[in-house]
Amino acid sequence: MHFSSPKMVCETKIVADEHDAIPGTKKDSMMWSSAPPSAALNPAEANKEVRKDAVFIREFERGDQEEVQRIFYEGIMERIPNTAFRALRQQPKTQFLYALLTLMCFYVTQSVTLTFCAPLILMGARYYCSRKVIQSYLDYALHTDMADIEAYYMTPTGSSFWVAVLDGRVVGIVAAQGCEEENKVELRRMSVDSRYRGKGIAKSLGRRVLEFAVRNNYAAVVLGTTAVKLAAHKLYESLGFRRTGQSEDYRLPGMSRSPLERLFFQIRHSRYRLQLREE
């Protein structure tokens, strides 16, 4: 397999046939704007708006390190309440267990007050465990690949890291990590600054990884996610990914798998794959 260098990938345009082969990909994926419909009434204003709101996808540079780590950190920290509370709606067995524990509390104590407080205590324990596990995972990530992006993603052949830039500010990140033995590339570390979401930045970053995979002759793009929000899964599906598996007993780096964690921290890991060509 022949890989082109990251710099060559950035400087060469994708041809039409390659774009047609990538679901959800458009020819303007390297630069786009979010000009409002009203701007179309005035060409001069429209051009001004395009220049102002244009988002560029470019390769990671050493000076981006601090902003990249900030976006990654904030994106992961958002998962604490999602994992602790929102994810509970997808866990009927855990709901049943907590209801049983609440009834047992009343049976043992015969106290309405303590029974009323039991769900609050259980939710507090979930939040505590979610925070503890996710912070351990953050510590792991920030001391491995996110500590030296150049070494992990920019130096190895067949891997790369990109940032989305709006008005000179880094607002989104994504990585591609190649696996030559399995002829696939993994989409990793995708995150967008919460202040700039809803502008299609995440989809543009995802397209960039697909373009990279096509250029480097990978047969497939894969990813794994523990995202709770449905919007994240719809994003991957809109890019052409299909879910290939799901695990209810996934272990994040940093987890101790203690009885407390097993009781109050559950996370669903979904695997997605986009087959670009037959192997």
Side-chain angles (χ1 to χ4, degrees), residues 11 14 62 72 78 98-99 102 104 126 136 143 154 160 185 187 190 199 213 215 226 235 266 274:
E11 294 171 0
I14 299 293
R62 185 171 297 180
F72 174 72
E78 287 179 8
Y98 290 176
T102 301
M104 288 179 61
R126 281 184 66 90
S136 295
H143 284 84
M154 303 306 294
S160 194
V185 64
L187 186 155
M190 180 186 285
K199 297 178 178 289
R215 285 194 172 282
T226 57
L235 168 65
Q266 298 88 26
L274 172 57

Side-chain angles (χ1 to χ4, degrees), residues 15 76 87 163 224:
V15 298
I76 296 297
V163 297

